[in-house]
Amino acid sequence: MSKDQQHESNTIAILHTSDIHGTVLPYRYADQMPIEAGLSNISTVIKELRRQYKDSIYVDNGDLLQGTPLTYYHARINPDLPNPLTACMNLLQPDAVVVGNHEFNYGLSYLRQAVKESKFPWLSANLLEESNREPIFGVPYITKELPVGIKIGVLGLTTSYIPNWELPQHIAGIHFECVVQAAKRWVKVLREEEHVDLVVVSYHGGLERDASSGELTEADTGENEGYRLAAEVQGIDILLTGHQHRVIVNERIDGVVIAQPGSHGQGVGCIEVQMDCVEENWKVGAIRSTWMDCAGTAPDRQIIDQVAAIEAEVQIWLDKPIGQVEGDMTVTDASQVRLADHPLIEFINRVQMEYGQTTISNTALFDDTAPGFVGYITMRQVLANYIYANTLKVIRVTGQDIRDALEQTASYFERAEQGSGQYCIHKAYLYPKPQHYNYDMWEGIEYEIDISRAVGERITKLLVSSSGQPIDMHNTYDVAMNHYRAAGGGNYVMFANKPTVLDVPTDIAELIANYIIQRGTIHSTLNHNWRVVT
């Protein structure tokens, strides 16, 4: 249809979600309590928005395929079934989905099969084949022309920091191009060759700087480069971000509209764009960004029915007892777990030490909803306590590396007033998203964190548990940890590029389950090897 006087202006909607992390159904797997989130609720909101806006596009910004027992069961227990997440997204009919970093957690072949089953394109312009430097899925962008003649271009980008987290075998043969470099090249193609009227960049990554002040809000590692994209790449109208699990509306950086839609299907981002026809050319007019909360929304029965069969299998699998605990490993207050040794943390570290064949280990309480163990143990409880698809690595580090890592962990706390006994969590671990998973707790060493002291000077005791002797700063020690931390993830740069002593390519949740199954009964123990003092 030509751009005639009948269509001097037109309003379109850019609908976007991100970081669904396998959340389909409106309840928590750990305790089956209801939540107002997930693809079942998202679907209802998107259907309503599509009724409201005659012209719209819908983009999911990645981290779709991993994150719940449903995705774990499909990937590890019954992968021959159709992928439940792609099946649900096929019903939602997105115009595109961007590849996120967690898409690689179950391996590249698993991701490629999910792409094959999808009735929508997966975008990533900066993830390239090593051999020919072509996009690994062949689709860097899409264009969509609306009935009134408006042409929209959507470019997909993925954080290039993935090699710092992911197992090498999961990303073999992939070249991770700088997102800014890729955006400059492909936005030019959209403008000059595709002649689009509106350029939307959907980046699975977040903002490394405050949108208003431009000040750094995190370590400048390259994990999040949204600010750079908006400030340095000419021709972007809208930048959709993710990865940080934030809700961002009505922010602008150098005229570029910035948005982020939260996580786990808690809501849908909606960007209303007025397009004006000026001398037979469509121009971008007013832009308004909103976020539609799923609270109060009825879940879509069609989505629930889509996963009903596999979900029934998941529930049976989750509730089958695999062993029992003698004693109590219950988490009643997550904040207290991070102040002194706890039986659950000690247990997970002992599992890592067992399979890592070493005497020192670290782990984290990833989420404040972790329930711990008491009585009979099911797979539901294992996955509720260990929510990530991490595998186990043992790396060789120096005593100085251990001290530096403990000082990094100790920065989790705000400095207390001398003698007050009061403390709080440093904002860097709460914003732009909670990062409790970056607070490590160790076994095999004895240490003390004094948070009344300045950051960098808080470790006041550091001994080897087996000998009771001080850790030698120049000696080397083999330490078991998850592969994310072993790669330096979470600003633990002292671990990056250290020699790998042992690589166990099995999810730690699976190792925990195997450990329990082999023994039948596990025992709650507590040796009080560390504590925080104020």
Side-chain angles (χ1 to χ4, degrees):
M1 185 181 295
S2 63
K3 304 169 187 173
D4 55 27
Q5 293 298 311
Q6 189 176 1
H7 298 287
E8 289 184 349
S9 67
N10 192 277
T11 299
I12 61 176
I14 312 298
L15 312 180
H16 58 114
T17 54
S18 190
D19 297 275
I20 297 296
H21 286 290
T23 309
V24 175
L25 300 167
Y27 55 77
R28 294 195 303 248
Y29 281 94
D31 55 14
Q32 295 185 292
M33 292 297 291
I35 58 173
E36 295 181 302
L39 285 180
S40 57
N41 289 67
I42 286 291
S43 179
T44 300
V45 174
I46 287 176
K47 285 180 177 179
E48 176 56 36
L49 287 169
R50 281 172 168 160
R51 283 191 289 268
Q52 182 178 343
Y53 293 96
K54 182 179 64 175
D55 296 317
S56 67
I57 65 170
Y58 168 38
V59 180
D60 181 80
N61 199 37
D63 275 6
L64 175 69
L65 301 177
Q66 178 275 338
T68 59
L70 172 64
T71 60
Y72 182 95
Y73 179 84
H74 179 261
R76 298 300 191 210
I77 309 299
N78 203 346
D80 292 334
L81 293 174
N83 190 297
L85 272 298
T86 56
C88 289
M89 292 302 282
N90 285 339
L91 292 176
L92 267 70
Q93 298 181 316
D95 291 276
V97 172
V98 175
V99 179
N101 54 291
H102 282 286
E103 258 66 79
F104 294 95
N105 284 175
Y106 297 128
L108 188 54
S109 61
Y110 183 82
L111 173 54
R112 288 192 185 279
Q113 180 59 33
V115 172
K116 184 178 179 181
E117 295 175 16
S118 301
K119 297 179 181 179
F120 49 83
W122 287 75
L123 307 182
S124 186
N126 66 304
L127 302 189
L128 312 177
E129 299 278 5
E130 282 277 12
S131 57
N132 57 18
R133 292 298 198 266
E134 293 294 326
I136 58 172
F137 300 119
V139 189
Y141 65 83
I142 61 164
T143 62
K144 181 175 183 177
E145 187 162 355
L146 301 177
V148 294
I150 298 170
K151 191 175 183 182
I152 304 169
V154 180
L155 175 68
L157 298 168
T158 306
T159 175
S160 58
Y161 203 65
I162 291 174
N164 293 279
W165 306 311
E166 195 52 75
L167 293 173
Q169 61 267 33
H170 287 178
I171 54 174
I174 301 176
H175 172 71
F176 293 82
E177 184 182 15
C178 166
V179 293
V180 175
Q181 180 179 331
K184 287 180 178 178
R185 182 171 71 258
W186 289 106
V187 169
K188 187 176 181 180
V189 169
L190 287 172
R191 287 294 187 190
E192 298 181 6
E193 297 180 25
E194 297 286 1
H195 303 291
V196 300
D197 303 301
L198 178 72
V199 171
V200 178
V201 172
S202 188
Y203 166 51
H204 190 84
L207 300 179
E208 73 281 25
R209 296 177 181 271
D210 180 85
S212 300
S213 68
E215 293 182 1
L216 276 172
T217 55
E218 60 183 50
D220 192 11
T221 61
E223 175 180 352
N224 298 300
E225 297 184 281
Y227 193 95
R228 282 193 64 201
L229 283 169
E232 297 180 23
V233 181
Q234 298 297 312
I236 300 174
D237 296 304
I238 296 170
L239 176 61
L240 308 179
T241 61
H243 187 60
Q244 294 172 316
H245 298 191
R246 302 168 66 184
V247 174
I248 298 175
V249 295
N250 291 321
E251 292 280 7
R252 289 179 183 262
I253 298 171
D254 289 355
V256 178
V257 173
I258 312 296
Q260 193 171 141
S263 66
H264 297 88
Q266 295 172 326
V268 179
C270 178
I271 303 176
E272 188 180 276
V273 184
Q274 179 181 311
M275 299 293 294
D276 300 318
C277 189
V278 180
E279 296 180 353
E280 297 189 346
N281 291 306
W282 288 106
K283 302 293 183 182
V284 179
I287 300 179
R288 185 175 69 95
S289 176
T290 59
W291 184 74
M292 313 301 292
D293 196 337
C294 282
T297 300
D300 186 342
R301 191 75 234 176
Q302 187 180 23
I303 298 295
I304 294 174
D305 292 344
Q306 177 63 53
V307 297
I310 187 173
E311 179 65 14
E313 295 183 21
V314 172
Q315 293 297 331
I316 293 170
W317 170 71
L318 282 172
D319 288 327
K320 182 179 178 180
I322 60 174
Q324 61 183 335
V325 58
E326 184 178 281
D328 190 353
M329 294 186 189
T330 305
V331 174
T332 56
D333 185 341
S335 63
Q336 293 301 307
V337 174
R338 301 185 182 99
L339 294 179
D341 195 19
H342 185 277
L344 176 67
I345 301 302
E346 187 166 305
F347 168 70
I348 295 173
N349 272 321
R350 290 197 181 281
V351 171
Q352 293 186 170
M353 290 156 67
E354 170 82 11
Y355 288 102
Q357 303 169 38
T358 188
T359 59
I360 303 176
S361 172
N362 67 50
T363 190
L365 187 69
F366 297 120
D367 189 274
D368 283 354
T369 62
F373 297 129
V374 64
Y376 285 101
I377 302 171
T378 65
M379 197 66 197
R380 186 188 302 277
Q381 292 171 318
V382 172
L383 292 173
N385 286 299
Y386 208 101
I387 61 176
Y388 293 119
N390 291 326
T391 60
L392 183 65
K393 293 192 78 169
V394 177
I395 60 174
R396 184 157 292 158
V397 301
T398 65
Q400 186 64 55
D401 293 328
I402 293 175
R403 175 175 284 280
D404 291 344
L406 288 169
E407 291 289 1
Q408 172 64 30
T409 285
S411 70
Y412 177 84
F413 300 101
E414 287 276 20
R415 185 172 181 174
E417 291 294 331
Q418 191 69 34
S420 70
Q422 300 298 312
Y423 71 93
C424 60
I425 300 170
H426 194 283
K427 63 181 180 181
Y429 287 85
L430 298 174
Y431 308 102
K433 68 177 179 179
Q435 297 181 43
H436 303 300
Y437 52 79
N438 284 329
Y439 180 86
D440 287 341
M441 292 162 280
W442 293 62
E443 192 64 33
I445 61 174
E446 297 177 18
Y447 62 97
E448 195 168 274
I449 299 173
D450 185 347
I451 59 178
S452 69
R453 298 167 65 97
V455 171
E457 301 175 0
R458 291 178 166 177
I459 306 305
T460 56
K461 174 185 177 182
L462 184 52
L463 308 174
V464 178
S465 295
S466 59
S467 66
Q469 296 298 310
I471 283 184
D472 186 335
M473 295 298 104
H474 302 289
N475 199 2
T476 58
Y477 303 86
D478 294 346
V479 181
M481 62 186 75
N482 67 60
H483 75 268
Y484 170 79
R485 186 69 79 241
N491 294 325
Y492 286 82
V493 294
M494 70 292 297
F495 294 149
N497 302 313
K498 290 297 164 70
T500 298
V501 177
L502 183 65
D503 190 346
V504 183
T506 303
D507 287 359
I508 294 175
E510 190 174 339
L511 296 179
I512 292 170
N514 290 341
Y515 185 96
I516 296 168
I517 291 168
Q518 289 168 7
R519 287 158 178 78
T521 299
I522 60 171
H523 303 275
S524 175
T525 62
L526 196 60
N527 60 15
H528 303 286
N529 65 301
W530 68 273
R531 66 172 183 159
V532 173
V533 297
T534 58

